[in-house]
Amino acid sequence: MAGTSDAPFGRMLTAMVTPFTADGAVDYERAQSLAAYLVDTQRNDGLVVSGTTGESPTTSDAEKERLLRAVLEAVGDRAAVVAGVGTYDTHHSVELARTAERAGAHGLLVVTPYYNKPPQEGLYQHFTAVADATGLPVMLYDIPGRSGVPIKTETLIRLAQHERIVAVKDAKGDLFAGSTVMTATDLVFYSGDDALNLAWLAHGAAGFVSVIGHVVGAELAAMIDHFRSGRVEEARRIHEQLIPVVDGIMMRAGGAIMVKAALALVGRPVGGLRPPLVAADDKQTAELRACLVAGGVKLADV
């Protein structure tokens, strides 16, 4: 599924969790059910599979491919399905990209190589190698808090010259730098930080790659609609309403941990987490419950 030139992967995307069975295996059937829920109920027109929130460091290449195929089968006819293929190894990332293309992915999410902290020229060569490996459009993922290095403005401007590098998921949080890149290039920006969703829209972003979209995707889609239609106050009201949800899911134990707890609270459990991640404890879950209620999220009856 192709997007438009100003939103090549859609506008409301969720970085989808990977469901697991009780014995820790990937639950592909539940992944399909969750994907359908995100698209049909939570108004997502795109999904990212095997991103950070999908616990990609702990899933095998074979699991990633099977998961991607399962999600494509479930929703690939009505939402863009973007495969996370970034690693700290260029060769491995290239192979994951080629596998994702063969599986039918609509695009690739490529995170900055983490842990080994390459120089900017290394980043440029890494991203270019992955983009050269397939015919799919690429979204770069700039998240120095996890990767250790930012993609600098001048590097993004260089990368924008590649015909298949079309977008950036920004979790760097430098709105001025993002505006500079958008002014100088055709790169489309997506907010990769739920706390800054409205701010990124105001700075020209096309939409979101969200974590809280698992439980408030419809509200985020409405925020985008309002903003794009000039109803800025309505968009701001949604932003204010969702502050407790952002606080509960993103500002505490971490996205994957808390969003899996949130899904259980709304009646869509997706299993546990793979080590080294651990499930939210009772205190964290109680605090999360209060945040979700404060944000207007309807919880399951228990």
Side-chain angles (χ1 to χ4, degrees), residues 122-139:
L123 296 186
Y124 176 79
Q125 293 188 24
H126 174 85
F127 289 127
T128 300
V130 177
D132 284 343
T134 80
L136 295 175
V138 171
M139 181 191 299

Side-chain angles (χ1 to χ4, degrees), residues 25 69 96 103 109 115 185 208 211-212 216 223 250 257 289:
R69 290 182 182 275
L96 288 173
L109 178 72
Y115 184 70
T185 74
F208 314 144
V211 176
I212 67 170
V216 291
M223 181 196 293
M250 302 306 300
I257 292 172
R289 178 188 292 273

Side-chain angles (χ1 to χ4, degrees), residues 13-17 46-51 80-84 109 139 169 209:
L13 294 84
T14 290
M16 201 176 99
V17 298
L47 297 174
V48 172
V49 178
S50 293
V81 179
V82 180
L109 178 72
M139 181 191 299
K169 175 186 175 185
V209 180

Side-chain angles (χ1 to χ4, degrees), residues 223-295:
M223 181 196 293
I224 295 169
D225 289 345
H226 283 312
F227 190 90
R228 286 178 52 78
S229 297
R231 299 184 295 272
V232 177
E233 282 302 307
E234 288 87 344
R236 185 179 60 80
R237 278 194 284 272
I238 295 173
H239 162 77
E240 292 177 347
Q241 172 194 333
L242 297 183
I243 286 173
V245 181
V246 175
D247 180 32
I249 293 177
M250 302 306 300
M251 303 300 180
R252 295 171 188 259
I257 292 172
M258 299 310 288
V259 81
K260 282 192 167 182
L263 284 166
L265 289 172
V266 301
R268 301 203 68 89
V270 290
L273 299 104
R274 281 188 175 170
L277 297 185
V278 295
D281 61 28
D282 290 345
K283 180 175 182 294
Q284 290 169 328
T285 302
E287 291 172 347
L288 174 62
R289 178 188 292 273
C291 287
L292 294 178
V293 169

Side-chain angles (χ1 to χ4, degrees), residues 16-283:
M16 201 176 99
V17 298
T18 299
F20 295 120
T21 63
D23 62 359
V26 176
D27 190 333
Y28 301 101
E29 183 176 348
R30 186 160 286 182
Q32 290 187 311
S33 175
L34 176 62
Y37 170 74
L38 292 173
V39 172
D40 299 334
T41 301
Q42 292 294 353
R43 291 192 58 197
N44 285 260
D45 55 2
L47 297 174
V48 172
V49 178
S50 293
T52 309
T53 310
E55 299 176 67
S56 58
T58 62
T59 56
S60 70
D61 291 0
E63 288 174 327
K64 288 179 174 66
E65 179 180 1
R66 186 175 171 188
L67 178 64
L68 175 61
R69 290 182 182 275
V71 172
L72 282 162
E73 181 182 355
V75 300
D77 61 339
R78 57 193 190 278
V81 179
V82 180
V85 300
T87 72
Y88 50 50
D89 173 2
T90 302
H91 177 75
H92 188 196
S93 300
V94 164
E95 290 305 310
L96 288 173
R98 289 172 175 162
T99 298
E101 183 178 43
R102 288 193 295 269
H106 301 131
L108 305 174
L109 178 72
V110 188
V111 70
T112 309
Y114 41 89
Y115 184 70
N116 48 23
K117 298 182 75 170
Q120 293 297 305
E121 180 61 28
L123 296 186
Y124 176 79
Q125 293 188 24
H126 174 85
F127 289 127
T128 300
V130 177
D132 284 343
T134 80
L136 295 175
V138 171
M139 181 191 299
L140 307 177
Y141 185 11
D142 191 5
I143 182 166
R146 289 185 182 272
S147 68
V149 289
I151 313 174
K152 291 186 177 179
T153 297
E154 55 267 29
T155 305
L156 286 167
I157 291 172
R158 284 181 71 196
L159 288 164
Q161 297 172 33
H162 196 292
E163 63 179 349
R164 285 185 293 281
I165 296 177
V166 299
V168 179
K169 175 186 175 185
D170 188 283
K172 184 163 57 184
D174 189 334
L175 295 161
F176 181 77
S179 296
T180 301
V181 174
M182 281 185 270
T183 300
T185 74
D186 292 328
L187 285 175
V188 176
F189 270 62
Y190 288 83
S191 172
D193 182 349
D194 279 311
L196 295 178
N197 283 341
L198 181 59
W200 271 117
L201 288 180
H203 282 76
F208 314 144
V209 180
S210 173
V211 176
I212 67 170
H214 283 90
V215 294
V216 291
E219 289 82 353
L220 291 175
M223 181 196 293
I224 295 169
D225 289 345
H226 283 312
F227 190 90
R228 286 178 52 78
S229 297
R231 299 184 295 272
V232 177
E233 282 302 307
E234 288 87 344
R236 185 179 60 80
R237 278 194 284 272
I238 295 173
H239 162 77
E240 292 177 347
Q241 172 194 333
L242 297 183
I243 286 173
V245 181
V246 175
D247 180 32
I249 293 177
M250 302 306 300
M251 303 300 180
R252 295 171 188 259
I257 292 172
M258 299 310 288
V259 81
K260 282 192 167 182
L263 284 166
L265 289 172
V266 301
R268 301 203 68 89
V270 290
L273 299 104
R274 281 188 175 170
L277 297 185
V278 295
D281 61 28
D282 290 345
K283 180 175 182 294

